[in-house]
Amino acid sequence: MLDERKAAILRAVVQGYIETAQPVGSAVIARAADLAVSSATIRNEMAVLERDGYLTQPHTSAGRIPTDKGYRFFVDSLTPPGLLAPAQKVQVRDFFAKAHGALEQVLHDTSQLLANLTHYAAVVIAPPAEGATVRSVQVVGLGPRTGLAVAVLANGAVEKGTIEFDHDVGEERMAAATAHLSAHLAGMTLAAGARVPATGDADTDAVVLAAGRALHRDPGADADHVYLGGASRMAAAFDAVDTVRQILGVLEQEYVVVGLLREVLDRGMSVSIGGEHGDPPLSECSVIVSPYLVEGEAAGTIGVLGPTRMNYPQAMAAVAVVSQRLGRRLSEG
Amino acid sequence: MLDERKAAILRAVVQGYIETAQPVGSAVIARAADLAVSSATIRNEMAVLERDGYLTQPHTSAGRIPTDKGYRFFVDSLTPPGLLAPAQKVQVRDFFAKAHGALEQVLHDTSQLLANLTHYAAVVIAPPAEGATVRSVQVVGLGPRTGLAVAVLANGAVEKGTIEFDHDVGEERMAAATAHLSAHLAGMTLAAGARVPATGDADTDAVVLAAGRALHRDPGADADHVYLGGASRMAAAFDAVDTVRQILGVLEQEYVVVGLLREVLDRGMSVSIGGEHGDPPLSECSVIVSPYLVEGEAAGTIGVLGPTRMNYPQAMAAVAVVSQRLGRRLSEG
DNA sequence: GTTGGCACTCGATGATACCGAGTGCCAACC
DNA sequence: GGTTGGCACTCGGTATCATCGAGTGCCAAC
């Protein structure tokens, strides 16, 4: 464990580096931090912090920058979750006051909001369809052998899936299937679609079955809906153009992002720093995640992805507030 | 007009610059192009091309690079639309053979396909909802005073909009509104939603009216659905990190992209080079657009956005092929 | 344990020279 | 007159070198 003075110095280095993106020297700390000690003492302490793996030097005779371990200590020592600037609080409040529209729209806009608040990339993962009960199901014919199954869930989500038939199906069959599905699925989850009893009419049953399959995704399948906002912010955070390219490439693959957030949460973390998550191209990035609760249950996840030297207190506050308000907004229907 | 030799030299410079991203000198052209002339002659011609605004020099004693006007000539002289590599043809064919699923999914995946084919950013704009007839409408209650109107269109699109009521509305009213809307909207466009006759029951009419409003967007409003694929490709095309940031920032604002494509098409162009379109941050980019036809009518637009020194023949071929196959795919329903 | 002092390191900055790709021009040539 | 080899010239890129200064590590003194 670090004694109080080392901790203060470490915090000062992290804070300084977050602000300036420049290595922090002992003199700056002696001046800024209100430890009444000289720069020489700071130097001695910093040498120890480096030996213990909290700090590193880009080269001899430069200041120190935090290692992942240093950031980790910094983040863990932030017990009060940090506060949002008043203007930002207002921004969040206004946003959720006006956040009407379908689930999709709300989640999309939320990702933008979070990106704007933090100036980093933001991710919002929709609540899984399994959790919500069905309010309405419908089978609609499109072409002679194709149809569309549409379900509206209680949380405002609209799930859809195409159906292909091997022979023509008339409107009456679709209507029959719609009625049958409505009767048996309303109030249940989509997973019940596979267990709808037979009607007795083989053609109708085929439609019902196909619709059930089209709407239901396996819980394991990563068909989660993901909303990514502010990816371009990553370009501002790094100055090596191919770092930017790599990160953006990763962000474009939704399943990687989803996997990343899920993995971080599985480890019970809310902040993952640099190499703590596995992805090599993201080793210069940190992730802040939080589940949001809808009616008391963890529904989806929101997160922020930024450079390791991101402004943790501010970003953590933003994530906390937005996840809380989003959960509340989705709970009230 | 340019004489044949100047044209050949100009084409060679464009081609060389596209391949190497380096200024092209007279010696390279004398060697590569099969004009049986010396580099001195090429130099003389290039001086004229520069005076006429087709070429420019980054600095004295460097080779020439094309101006926008030079690219324009190059593109206009490509009368045969260019061919896709066989492997890519197969890729497109396979893609559309497997492209099932709802409209949304198809369009999203198409943008990815186009980005992969060209290695640039790709945009797909969905057919406007006004054009398609309604196959099914439904009003679903979510909370005590909120509901969701969902319409399935003949082209496979699903339009949705939230409804807010100022007092509680029971399930029966929703059902009545659904039945009424279904009866009067099926086979019509969503615009007809505003002209559905009254039922006689005031509460039901309120729901009907609200649903109509929720589903119908004004043709002028830029509520078009946009799918953007491969934005990270832009990071590979430029080496100035803040150019990348600016371009990505623009791409994130959907309405700018939509406006850009629309403007280009309005001018009757299919290729817009550098400064030809108005956006200053995109002055180092070119855009290739093409409408796609569904049942003979222009429905939506697809496009590719790349650096001005993009591979025009290849990208134009990709856009042409994909727009054609996408139109065909959407026509067959 | 702390501190001022000091030698040392090493990246950043700037000046200088050099190289070479490429040009423009010109006189000669067909 | 168009074409060409020759040649002086330009100028960005690269390498070399010296300098500067921020910052360190260490040590002797407090």
Side-chain angles (χ1 to χ4, degrees):
Chain A
M1 206 43 222
L2 299 178
D3 63 68
E4 186 43 46
R5 195 173 63 189
K6 285 195 187 61
I9 292 173
L10 178 50
R11 276 194 294 269
V13 173
V14 173
Q15 232 143 16
Y17 189 62
I18 284 174
E19 282 167 25
T20 65
Q22 299 291 330
V24 182
S26 55
V28 181
I29 294 188
R31 226 177 305 123
D34 47 358
L35 312 158
V37 289
S38 77
S39 66
T41 308
I42 308 273
R43 276 201 290 285
N44 291 332
E45 298 283 51
M46 291 210 297
V48 177
L49 284 170
E50 179 164 5
R51 265 193 288 284
D52 291 352
Y54 293 98
L55 294 178
T56 188
Q57 276 180 298
H59 51 85
T60 336
S61 97
R64 303 302 211 290
I65 63 177
T67 60
D68 288 355
K69 187 177 174 185
Y71 286 120
R72 166 55 60 199
F73 178 87
F74 177 78
V75 168
D76 288 345
S77 73
L78 290 172
T79 19
L83 289 179
L84 239 40
Q88 296 199 312
K89 269 189 177 160
V90 173
Q91 193 181 345
V92 174
R93 191 180 312 264
D94 285 1
F95 173 83
F96 283 107
K98 291 186 195 126
H100 299 307
L103 182 69
E104 207 173 289
Q105 189 71 39
V106 172
L107 296 178
H108 175 265
D109 292 350
T110 300
S111 77
Q112 302 286 343
L113 170 73
L114 196 51
N116 286 336
L117 287 174
T118 59
H119 303 297
Y120 305 120
V123 184
V124 174
I125 301 183
E130 301 101 66
T133 58
V134 176
R135 297 305 306 262
S136 147
V137 207
Q138 205 167 13
V139 181
V140 182
L142 289 180
R145 294 189 181 181
T146 57
L148 196 65
V150 180
V152 179
L153 306 184
N155 63 6
V158 178
E159 294 287 326
K160 42 190 180 279
T162 327
I163 318 176
E164 311 267 333
F165 307 113
D166 42 7
H167 62 281
D168 291 7
V169 174
E171 285 292 333
E172 339 62 73
R173 296 268 182 263
M174 304 264 190
T178 296
H180 190 67
L181 281 166
S182 298
H184 289 88
L185 271 187
M188 319 282 289
T189 70
L190 279 178
R195 297 190 301 273
V196 170
T199 59
D201 178 90
D203 277 354
T204 305
D205 282 344
V207 177
V208 168
L209 201 67
R213 257 200 306 266
L215 288 173
H216 179 53
R217 321 222 188 303
D218 285 320
D222 37 29
D224 285 319
H225 300 194
V226 183
Y227 303 88
L228 176 65
S232 69
R233 310 278 187 169
M234 299 309 287
F238 296 95
D239 43 321
V241 73
D242 54 326
T243 305
V244 172
R245 204 189 55 242
Q246 282 190 359
I247 292 173
L248 290 178
V250 171
L251 285 183
E252 270 184 8
Q253 297 169 292
E254 291 188 348
Y255 62 95
V256 177
V257 178
V258 175
L260 177 65
L261 295 208
R262 210 190 305 267
E263 185 202 329
V264 172
L265 270 190
D266 281 353
R267 295 200 205 166
M269 296 199 295
S270 64
V271 181
S272 177
I273 296 164
E276 290 178 358
H277 44 260
D279 272 290
L282 297 183
S283 63
E284 297 181 49
C285 297
S286 285
V287 184
I288 299 175
V289 297
S290 168
Y292 54 88
L293 307 180
V294 175
E295 280 155 14
E297 299 216 346
T301 310
I302 71 172
V304 161
L305 190 140
T308 44
R309 69 171 146 69
M310 73 195 281
N311 186 342
Y312 291 95
Q314 199 265 341
M316 288 166 75
V319 169
V321 170
V322 171
S323 94
Q324 187 213 325
R325 308 282 305 214
L326 177 63
R328 198 193 305 173
R329 167 69 185 72
L330 296 183
S331 296
E332 72 200 20
Chain B
M1 203 45 217
L2 299 179
D3 63 68
E4 186 43 46
R5 195 171 64 187
K6 285 195 187 59
I9 291 172
L10 177 51
R11 276 194 295 268
V13 172
V14 174
Q15 233 143 15
Y17 189 62
I18 285 174
E19 281 165 27
T20 64
Q22 299 291 332
V24 183
S26 55
V28 181
I29 293 188
R31 226 176 305 123
D34 46 359
L35 313 158
V37 290
S38 77
S39 67
T41 308
I42 308 273
R43 276 201 292 284
N44 292 331
E45 298 283 51
M46 291 208 299
V48 177
L49 285 170
E50 180 165 4
R51 265 192 289 282
D52 292 354
Y54 293 99
L55 294 178
T56 187
Q57 276 181 300
H59 51 84
T60 336
S61 97
R64 301 304 209 293
I65 63 177
T67 61
D68 288 354
K69 185 176 175 186
Y71 286 120
R72 166 56 57 199
F73 178 88
F74 177 78
V75 168
D76 288 345
S77 73
L78 290 172
T79 19
L83 289 178
L84 239 41
Q88 296 200 313
K89 268 189 179 161
V90 173
Q91 193 182 346
V92 174
R93 192 179 311 263
D94 285 0
F95 173 83
F96 282 106
K98 291 186 195 126
H100 299 308
L103 181 68
E104 208 172 289
Q105 188 72 40
V106 172
L107 296 179
H108 175 265
D109 292 351
T110 301
S111 76
Q112 301 287 343
L113 170 73
L114 196 51
N116 286 336
L117 287 174
T118 59
H119 303 297
Y120 304 120
V123 184
V124 174
I125 299 182
E130 301 101 66
T133 58
V134 176
R135 297 306 307 262
S136 147
V137 208
Q138 205 167 12
V139 181
V140 183
L142 289 180
R145 293 190 183 180
T146 56
L148 197 65
V150 180
V152 179
L153 306 185
N155 63 5
V158 178
E159 294 288 327
K160 43 191 179 283
T162 326
I163 319 177
E164 313 266 333
F165 307 113
D166 42 7
H167 61 283
D168 291 8
V169 174
E171 285 292 332
E172 338 63 72
R173 295 271 182 261
M174 305 264 188
T178 297
H180 191 68
L181 281 167
S182 297
H184 289 88
L185 272 186
M188 320 282 287
T189 70
L190 278 178
R195 297 189 302 274
V196 170
T199 59
D201 178 273
D203 277 355
T204 307
D205 282 343
V207 178
V208 168
L209 201 66
R213 257 199 307 266
L215 289 173
H216 179 52
R217 321 221 188 305
D218 285 319
D222 37 28
D224 285 319
H225 300 193
V226 183
Y227 303 90
L228 176 64
S232 69
R233 310 278 187 171
M234 299 310 287
F238 295 94
D239 42 322
V241 75
D242 55 327
T243 305
V244 172
R245 205 190 54 243
Q246 282 191 358
I247 293 174
L248 290 178
V250 171
L251 286 183
E252 270 183 9
Q253 296 169 294
E254 291 188 348
Y255 62 93
V256 176
V257 177
V258 175
L260 177 66
L261 296 209
R262 209 190 305 266
E263 184 202 330
V264 171
L265 270 190
D266 282 352
R267 294 201 206 163
M269 297 200 293
S270 64
V271 181
S272 176
I273 296 165
E276 291 178 358
H277 43 262
D279 270 292
L282 297 183
S283 63
E284 296 181 50
C285 297
S286 285
V287 184
I288 299 176
V289 297
S290 168
Y292 55 88
L293 308 180
V294 175
E295 281 156 12
E297 299 215 347
T301 310
I302 70 172
V304 162
L305 189 139
T308 42
R309 69 173 146 68
M310 74 195 283
N311 186 341
Y312 291 96
Q314 199 265 342
M316 289 167 75
V319 168
V321 169
V322 171
S323 93
Q324 186 211 326
R325 309 280 307 210
L326 176 62
R328 202 195 301 173
R329 167 70 186 71
L330 295 183
S331 296
E332 71 200 21

